Amino acid sequence: MLTISNLHVCIDGKPILRGIDLEVGPGEVHAIMGPNGSGKSTLAHVLAGRDAYEVTQGTVVYDGADLLAMPPEDRARRGIFLAFQYPVEIPGVNNAYFLKAALNAGRRYRGLTEFDAVEFLSLVREKMKLVHLDEALLKRSVNEGFSGGEKKRNEVFQMAVLEPRLAILDETDSGLDIDALKIVAEGVNRLRGGDRSIIVVTHYQRLLNHVLPDAVHVLSEGRIIRSGQRDLALELEERGYDWLRPNALA
Amino acid sequence: MATHPYEVEALIGKEYAAGFYTDLEADTLPPGLDEEVIRHISSKKNEPEWLCEWRLSAYRHWLTQKEPRWATVVHPPIDYQGISYYSAPKTKKDGPKSLDEVDPKLLETYEKLGIPLHERAILAGVAVDAVFDSVSVATTFKERLAEAGVIFCSFSEAVRNHPDLVRRYLGSVVPAGDNFFAALNSAVFTDGSFCYVPKGVRCPMELSTYFRINAANTGQFERTLIIADEGSHVSYLEGCTAPMRDENQLHAAVVELVALDNARIKYSTVQNWYPGDENGKGGIYNFVTKRGECRGHNSKISWTQIETGSAITWKYPSCVLRGDNSSGEFYSVALTNHYQQADTGTKMVHLGRNTRSTIISKGISAGRGRNAYRGLVRIAKSAANARNYTQCDSLLMSDRCAAHTFPYIEVKNPSARVEHEATTSKISEDQLFYCRQRGIAAEDAINMIVNGFCKEVFKELPMEFAVEAQKLLSVSLAGAVG
């Protein structure tokens, strides 16, 4: 599904990612963990196609295609979804209108007929239940005036509607209280399955108590320094990140 | 986060669709302005002596005035002697009596602009007065309006058929010598629209005037006068376009609104004069004086404007709140792209007790566009318990555009409550990326964000106009992400 090979990325000439190799198969859930500034969010944004990041080396192959050559909207239409750490407010743009435009842009791209208002609404009603979102939220502007928890739930809700093939959750657990965390995790778990792959980017392992990963990778200073299974996440919680750093090992 | 000019920039700047020219035989005065020219215009229109005198005194006043220099706009000096002050499509008779007599080329022009004048083709419920260069060429739905007692006709016709009303109200809101451009208009205005809604009548349809500049080297100086008598309601729309030309053309209009006791006037403008090319060559100088007076108690005047065209826009649709409990509103979207300049806003002059005003202004600057909001809120000593709420937001879409806000607040009564909020934001790479990550193309995303920004104003527009305004905005912005 996704193969990242020797990926090097700079921002303003400063290297952030320094040779990432990662293979995510269909239906797999991978967790990317690491201390602040290790490059986790950069990786998530590069995969989604954000500008201002310069890829200096390496390749990313998604479904047999060169991902890095695609504009962000095409990546989205081919099934890549990024749940933002800080969902963006768009004043005056109705949440439902936004989501319908997104859904239909993807359907058009894939040669499917667009959803009309009735079809869209029934889809949306069903998906809202997943994350316990109030229908009134549909009528409000995108993320405007949403609480932190509502914003994160709205991301998972959008993901449920758009049904991506590869979902990247960027610190979706940050800033959530335990109840909100459970709701978000439950929503993610319901979307798990089939050949849908998920990359969970997180600083803490608490989300991984609810969304059980198939693999855990530790990112430090732009490299994956350790890969393992779920017990690696638990160990990290216990011991922190320092013991894994190259200089600590030496 | 670094911004990528190619994006917003690349998305603003599609072609100006109304930029064609209609080849018609016209009756045009040679360029130049003096008392002879004014007498000529007046006699061409068979005006009564008092109106000719009114023009001449405005002209004499104008000679003593100087062009205003306080706005943030920059332009080379205007040669007022280089402009032709009268141009009308030639007709066989004095003027068309019905649509059948109107030159088919003219009808075609309006058709092309999306303003069909044949009544069978007209959008239901909108009466149109079509002003072509210096004259009104057609007014639709006259009979149906007359049944309701509403007078809606060209200004020239009003002078002929309703001289008392014209004489009573002309210049009563914007005096002949009010300012440089208003004085010039008063001296040379050639036509425009007139509307009178009698006591207690709700005008049965939307009224609209569609202004079209066609001839080269002419100015357009039209005058609109709307009177809403006691307890009446009227909603009025105004649209404007002009051909693409390398020379700048002057448009100096005056609009006067009078609302008597319990009357309501809603005045909406979608201004799409030719804005000049992407290098700032050509375009209309839109120097307009618009003012409404809430003369009666409980009266209300509401201005909504979408300003996307013109090389330079200089206009401040204002409300004089004379009647007790009267209210004024101003909703504005002004967009400047390439080298366009706009200095626009409003004046809310509170004279009566318990008067209220609301100002919502949205300025969008792209390319090298310059956009200024300039607004005055004056609470006179007599205006006990006056209230004003002002919100002006600016959206920047490139690194080379500019937005300014100049609020003036004068309060002479201690019971006044005046609120002012202002924000300036840049269309953010974050917003754009968020939309694109969801699969929405960059151009659609920009339109969506800008439309969202303008939503509070668009919702004030009548339905058909709201759709038109959104389309216009997306055309004006095509190629503008930055």
Side-chain angles (χ1 to χ4, degrees), chain B residues 13-147:
Chain B
K14 267 186 208 157
E15 221 177 300
Y16 181 73
F20 62 90
Y21 167 74
T22 310
D23 191 10
L24 278 172
E25 223 186 313
D27 177 5
T28 305
L29 275 184
L33 181 57
D34 55 24
E35 297 204 1
E36 252 338 282
V37 168
I38 292 165
R39 285 205 178 88
H40 187 86
I41 293 171
S42 194
S43 77
K44 226 171 172 53
K45 307 184 88 60
N46 293 319
E47 284 177 357
E49 189 53 31
W50 67 265
L51 190 49
C52 188
E53 277 311 312
W54 192 78
R55 288 173 178 278
L56 288 169
S57 77
Y59 173 69
R60 286 168 200 141
H61 195 91
W62 179 70
L63 289 175
T64 68
Q65 289 175 305
K66 284 205 166 66
E67 254 182 55
R69 283 275 161 226
W70 41 262
T72 57
V73 300
V74 190
H75 59 82
I78 298 170
D79 176 11
Y80 293 95
Q81 295 303 333
I83 298 172
S84 163
Y85 289 85
Y86 186 84
S87 176
K90 263 192 185 148
T91 48
K92 293 176 197 95
K93 300 168 202 140
D94 288 348
K97 296 283 177 291
S98 76
L99 278 170
D100 303 334
E101 291 178 26
V102 175
D103 188 330
K105 267 194 194 165
L106 272 174
L107 295 178
E108 218 172 87
T109 300
Y110 282 90
E111 202 107 4
K112 230 164 139 180
L113 294 167
I115 321 285
L117 297 175
H118 291 294
E119 304 212 354
R120 58 187 150 77
I122 296 175
L123 282 172
V126 183
V128 181
D129 182 25
V131 176
F132 193 86
D133 288 331
S134 297
V135 293
S136 167
V137 292
T139 309
T140 61
F141 282 122
K142 262 190 196 162
E143 290 80 16
R144 224 183 111 188
L145 288 168
E147 277 168 33

Side-chain angles (χ1 to χ4, degrees), chain A residues 45 48-52 72-73 76-77 80-82 84 88-93 97-98 101-102 105 143 155 158, chain B residues 1-2 4 6-7 428-442 444 448-449 451-453 455 470:
Chain A
H45 280 92
R50 174 118 209 184
D51 295 323
E73 52 267 43
R77 294 162 182 171
I80 290 186
F81 181 91
L82 173 66
F84 284 63
V88 181
E89 298 186 2
I90 310 178
V93 177
Y97 176 78
F98 174 78
N143 292 316
E155 294 291 289
Q158 291 184 9
Chain B
M1 189 65 58
H4 290 251
Y6 83 89
E7 293 192 84
S428 76
E429 207 63 13
D430 287 344
Q431 286 175 327
L432 199 56
F433 179 61
Y434 190 74
C435 295
R436 295 178 74 188
Q437 208 300 306
R438 296 300 184 249
I440 299 166
D444 297 337
M448 200 182 261
I449 294 165
N451 275 312
F453 176 75
K455 196 177 194 175
Q470 289 197 13

Side-chain angles (χ1 to χ4, degrees), chain A residues 49-248:
Chain A
R50 174 118 209 184
D51 295 323
Y53 295 95
E54 192 197 346
V55 176
T56 53
Q57 257 190 78
T59 57
V60 180
V61 176
Y62 169 72
D63 262 349
D66 177 5
L67 185 71
L68 299 177
M70 294 177 210
E73 52 267 43
D74 283 355
R75 301 183 196 197
R77 294 162 182 171
R78 285 174 177 238
I80 290 186
F81 181 91
L82 173 66
F84 284 63
Q85 181 177 6
Y86 303 108
V88 181
E89 298 186 2
I90 310 178
V93 177
N94 178 291
N95 213 16
Y97 176 78
F98 174 78
L99 195 51
K100 185 161 172 257
L103 180 71
N104 281 333
R107 291 185 65 85
R108 254 197 322 273
Y109 185 83
R110 296 192 294 269
L112 303 169
T113 54
E114 296 183 29
F115 273 21
D116 63 23
V118 177
E119 291 165 318
F120 174 73
L121 209 65
S122 73
L123 173 73
V124 152
R125 288 219 168 101
E126 173 202 326
K127 303 291 186 183
M128 291 203 95
K129 290 183 201 137
L130 265 184
V131 281
H132 307 277
L133 270 182
D134 186 358
E135 225 173 277
L137 233 56
L138 283 178
K139 296 191 184 115
R140 285 166 48 188
S141 297
V142 178
N143 292 316
E144 198 185 36
F146 286 27
S147 69
E150 281 173 338
K151 281 185 184 170
K152 296 296 176 77
R153 268 148 63 193
N154 193 34
E155 294 291 289
V156 178
F157 162 62
Q158 291 184 9
M159 172 176 152
V161 171
L162 297 176
E163 300 183 322
R165 304 200 49 224
L166 172 66
I168 303 162
L169 310 183
D170 186 11
E171 308 263 4
T172 299
D173 52 335
S174 69
L176 292 184
D177 63 30
I178 192 67
D179 292 330
L181 181 76
K182 274 189 188 154
I183 293 173
V184 164
E186 190 193 325
V188 173
N189 280 330
R190 296 252 211 116
L191 294 171
R192 206 171 161 168
D195 61 357
R196 179 170 300 136
S197 310
I198 301 177
I199 296 176
V200 181
V201 173
T202 181
H203 184 84
Y204 302 104
Q205 78 88 38
R206 59 177 197 160
L207 179 62
L208 306 178
N209 287 334
H210 303 280
V211 179
L212 304 181
D214 299 309
V216 174
H217 310 278
V218 179
L219 201 60
S220 177
E221 293 171 15
R223 290 190 184 92
I224 290 176
I225 54 167
R226 180 72 69 97
S227 293
Q229 295 190 323
R230 192 179 162 235
D231 46 5
L232 177 59
L234 296 170
E235 197 173 357
L236 285 170
E237 179 168 62
E238 193 128 316
R239 300 175 64 183
Y241 286 105
D242 279 348
W243 62 281
L244 275 176
R245 283 185 205 275
N247 51 0

Side-chain angles (χ1 to χ4, degrees), chain B residues 234-245:
Chain B
V234 61
S235 170
Y236 191 89
L237 321 171
E238 174 192 68
C240 343
T241 57
M244 287 158 50
R245 291 185 201 291

